[in-house]
Amino acid sequence: MAVQRFDVHSLAVILPVVVLVTLGLTMAVLNLTYNSYHETKDNVEVKAWWDGDHADIYVKINSKKLLPATIKIKEYVEEKKVYQPSKHILCSLTVDSTDKPLLVTGAVTSKNFEVEVLTPQKNLVFKVRLR
Amino acid sequence: MKNRIPRRRVGGKRKLTYLRKVKHFLWIIGPGIIAGAAGNDAGSIGSLASSGALYGCSILWALLLSLIFSYFIQDMCVRIGIVSGKGLVEHARERYGFKVGFIFLLAFLAVNFATIVAEIAGMAASLELLAWVAGFYVPYTVLAPILTVCVWIFLLKEGYGPIERVFSIVSLTMFVYVAVAFMVKPSPEEVFYGSFWITRKLTFDYLVYVSAIIGATISPYMQFYLVSAIIDKKVRVKDILSERIGSALGITISGIQAFAIVIVAAYVLFPRGIAVETARDVALALVPFLGFSAFTLFSVGFFASSLNGTGVIISSSGYSFSEFFGVERGLSKRVREAFTFYLMFTVCFMIGYGALIFGVTPIQAMVYSMVISFILSPMVVYLILRVSNDREIMGEHVNSPIIKLVGWIIFVVLLFLDAILLADMVTAYIWQP
């Protein structure tokens, strides 16, 4: 069996990539785990987390009585000190099944926003603050 | 019967010769077309869409101007590559000595490092979008390191060739913007005035986007790549006309695409006040016309463009750096033999991904990499001009007096815009409260 010779040059090329990528992956996983929001109110579950340059939002309706639900996302505008509907969404967001949660990616570029869930029974507001 | 057989043979030969000629012509014009078509990489697409979304059609003049510049600059690069058979970095070292040549090399690498950030960000952002369309969720921050490693390993094992062959074609899906540009029914007057008049005050923010558009179109790294690709292919002087046609075709293709991206953003995002803040927003401009499938089309094309750009940048950085120091290079060599080459290969990836880890967002990377390209472009244009004006190097293919004049006008205009941008940058920095 041939013995592979230890090559310091290969190591010098490979090691920095391994270190950097491991560091990046660890930071990404830690950020996604700890810099996240999770709340359940009246059978409506909302999760949100920060993914580099945007927030990803997950909405799940656990009761058929609350269907169909319309989702509205409002971002905080620092200059005006008000919440305004996200401009990054051009169509209406609806959830019409308890099996199919809604995942919105890249629709919010602010870390301070509100997710409004409008159902036939009641309207719920989730205030999200990410770090 | 006897008469028919020779006729068929002659016809077959003629057909074969004709096919060979067409094939040869396509092979010759290939690098020019690729440099043009793939010139609209992640950085360019992001910058064009951001500019259109922020300033509407009033930024089209910058695009038209830069396309004209690009045509002349690329034509000079084609001739330099074929006639001299040497890369631009090598010319800089031979012409100005080691120290000045090294400054040119650093400028070239700075552009490459800035652009690679945009390309890696573009790959990750488009794959995140594609996965989302397919019903999977993979965060961008997790995709970026995984993609960095995968592309790094693939390029080390297979080189840029396979990526170029496949993804240059796939990146043409971005032509969907051309179709949508007709769907938005742009006003011909607005497009005309925007293309030929400066209708806005040259504020600092506006200038940043003007420079990003010029940087995106001229793409200094593409000029370096084009010269190297022509040398690699060993294109002969007798094929110079075909190669120049290829280059002009490439710029026309990329120009049409670039105009379409700005017009679509200007007519869809600008009136709604949507600033391009994520890669998803670039695709958003297509949604009113193509529905949800816009995300799929965009992410496939954007991924291909970004991967293509990554391959070009990484390969050209490794080759140019080793070429400058006259050391062994090439993926066929062992790491021990071509250590400098492999090191530069890796450093490029590390800078690209490292910037993303430490907080640079994809759209920031896309716009600012093009601004850096623009700031350094006069330096690159100066080198191209000096080499292509040199009769000793270029022989009968030296720049004609008119081209020389046009070349120097391009250089002066770029330098002037550069000076305004830099002066504004300094003023903004000093007066910042």
Side-chain angles (χ1 to χ4, degrees), chain A residues 21-84:
Chain A
V21 167
T22 313
L23 176 75
L25 263 178
T26 314
M27 279 169 70
V29 172
L30 285 175
N31 186 46
L32 289 165
T33 314
Y34 293 106
N35 190 11
S36 62
Y37 168 90
H38 187 194
E39 197 176 355
T40 306
K41 276 185 201 172
D42 300 330
N43 282 320
V44 177
E45 187 186 357
V46 172
K47 288 180 192 173
W49 51 95
W50 189 250
D51 186 22
D53 63 342
H54 62 268
D56 292 329
I57 303 158
Y58 169 97
V59 182
K60 189 169 191 303
I61 310 286
N62 293 319
S63 165
K64 286 189 176 164
K65 288 176 190 168
L66 301 174
L67 297 175
T70 307
I71 315 297
K72 284 189 174 169
I73 296 162
K74 289 181 173 177
E75 285 189 273
Y76 186 69
V77 183
E78 190 65 47
E79 298 87 48
K80 296 177 184 170
K81 311 272 181 211
V82 285
Y83 284 92
Q84 282 186 341

Side-chain angles (χ1 to χ4, degrees), chain B residues 247-269:
Chain B
S247 155
L249 269 174
I251 290 168
T252 312
I253 293 171
S254 84
I256 292 170
Q257 199 182 353
F259 256 85
I261 295 171
V262 176
I263 289 172
V264 171
Y267 276 87
V268 180
L269 303 180

Side-chain angles (χ1 to χ4, degrees), chain B residues 271-282:
Chain B
R272 292 174 170 88
I274 303 174
V276 174
E277 290 175 87
T278 65
R280 183 186 178 277
D281 292 337
V282 186

Side-chain angles (χ1 to χ4, degrees), chain A residues 13 24 49 51 56 88 103 105, chain B residues 128 132 137 140-141 280-281:
Chain A
V13 170
W49 51 95
D51 186 22
D56 292 329
H88 306 273
L103 178 73
T105 176
Chain B
E128 181 195 28
W132 176 66
Y137 175 66
Y140 149 82
T141 43
R280 183 186 178 277
D281 292 337

Side-chain angles (χ1 to χ4, degrees), chain B residues 184-247:
Chain B
V184 298
K185 292 182 184 140
S187 142
E189 291 93 37
E190 201 180 347
V191 173
F192 181 80
Y193 279 111
S195 305
F196 292 97
W197 268 268
I198 303 174
T199 50
R200 264 180 184 267
K201 202 181 161 202
L202 295 179
T203 58
F204 175 66
D205 289 338
Y206 184 59
L207 268 173
V208 166
Y209 282 89
V210 166
S211 53
I213 281 196
I214 299 176
T217 317
I218 293 179
S219 294
Y221 83 87
M222 264 297 166
Q223 311 307 332
F224 281 89
Y225 166 73
L226 179 65
V227 177
S228 307
I230 288 168
I231 297 166
D232 274 358
K233 276 192 147 183
K234 297 186 175 71
V235 180
R236 289 167 298 180
V237 178
K238 76 180 178 76
D239 292 320
I240 203 162
L241 184 64
S242 312
E243 194 62 62
R244 289 173 77 179
I245 293 171
S247 155

Side-chain angles (χ1 to χ4, degrees), chain B residues 139-346:
Chain B
Y140 149 82
T141 43
V142 171
L143 270 171
I146 294 170
L147 271 170
T148 304
V149 170
C150 292
V151 177
W152 179 69
I153 293 171
F154 185 85
L155 280 170
L156 280 178
K157 290 252 174 214
E158 305 293 333
Y160 171 54
I163 291 178
E164 184 190 25
R165 281 192 290 276
V166 177
F167 289 95
S168 294
I169 309 291
V170 180
S171 67
L172 296 179
T173 47
M174 292 308 280
F175 261 82
V176 67
Y177 275 96
V178 179
V180 176
F182 284 104
M183 289 177 182
V184 298
K185 292 182 184 140
S187 142
E189 291 93 37
E190 201 180 347
V191 173
F192 181 80
Y193 279 111
S195 305
F196 292 97
W197 268 268
I198 303 174
T199 50
R200 264 180 184 267
K201 202 181 161 202
L202 295 179
T203 58
F204 175 66
D205 289 338
Y206 184 59
L207 268 173
V208 166
Y209 282 89
V210 166
S211 53
I213 281 196
I214 299 176
T217 317
I218 293 179
S219 294
Y221 83 87
M222 264 297 166
Q223 311 307 332
F224 281 89
Y225 166 73
L226 179 65
V227 177
S228 307
I230 288 168
I231 297 166
D232 274 358
K233 276 192 147 183
K234 297 186 175 71
V235 180
R236 289 167 298 180
V237 178
K238 76 180 178 76
D239 292 320
I240 203 162
L241 184 64
S242 312
E243 194 62 62
R244 289 173 77 179
I245 293 171
S247 155
L249 269 174
I251 290 168
T252 312
I253 293 171
S254 84
I256 292 170
Q257 199 182 353
F259 256 85
I261 295 171
V262 176
I263 289 172
V264 171
Y267 276 87
V268 180
L269 303 180
F270 179 62
R272 292 174 170 88
I274 303 174
V276 174
E277 290 175 87
T278 65
R280 183 186 178 277
D281 292 337
V282 186
L284 206 62
L286 303 171
V287 171
F289 302 93
L290 303 176
F292 203 66
S293 58
F295 287 118
T296 316
L297 275 171
F298 168 80
S299 37
V300 168
F302 201 57
F303 180 78
S305 305
S306 313
L307 184 56
N308 223 353
T310 307
V312 171
I313 293 165
I314 298 289
S315 311
S316 61
S317 301
Y319 279 102
S320 302
F321 193 74
S322 322
E323 186 184 286
F324 184 83
F325 290 102
V327 292
E328 289 282 359
R329 56 194 171 267
L331 293 163
S332 54
K333 304 272 185 310
R334 284 165 166 260
V335 180
R336 202 183 317 159
E337 293 163 349
F339 181 63
T340 316
F341 170 78
Y342 282 99
L343 197 66
M344 185 43 68
F345 212 89
T346 305

Side-chain angles (χ1 to χ4, degrees), chain B residues 342-409:
Chain B
Y342 282 99
L343 197 66
M344 185 43 68
F345 212 89
T346 305
V347 165
C348 227
F349 267 109
M350 288 181 65
I351 289 176
Y353 178 54
L356 295 177
I357 289 186
F358 294 104
V360 177
T361 66
I363 289 295
Q364 274 176 347
M366 286 168 202
V367 173
Y368 287 98
S369 63
M370 294 301 121
V371 175
I372 294 172
S373 282
F374 166 75
I375 290 172
L376 295 171
S377 60
M379 208 170 157
V380 178
V381 170
Y382 179 79
L383 175 66
I384 294 168
L385 273 173
R386 291 306 299 262
V387 177
S388 57
N389 284 345
D390 192 330
R391 188 169 286 278
E392 266 183 41
I393 298 172
M394 302 299 293
E396 60 174 306
H397 296 286
V398 69
N399 284 341
S400 67
I402 294 171
I403 302 289
K404 257 184 205 173
L405 181 70
V406 173
W408 286 116
I409 290 172

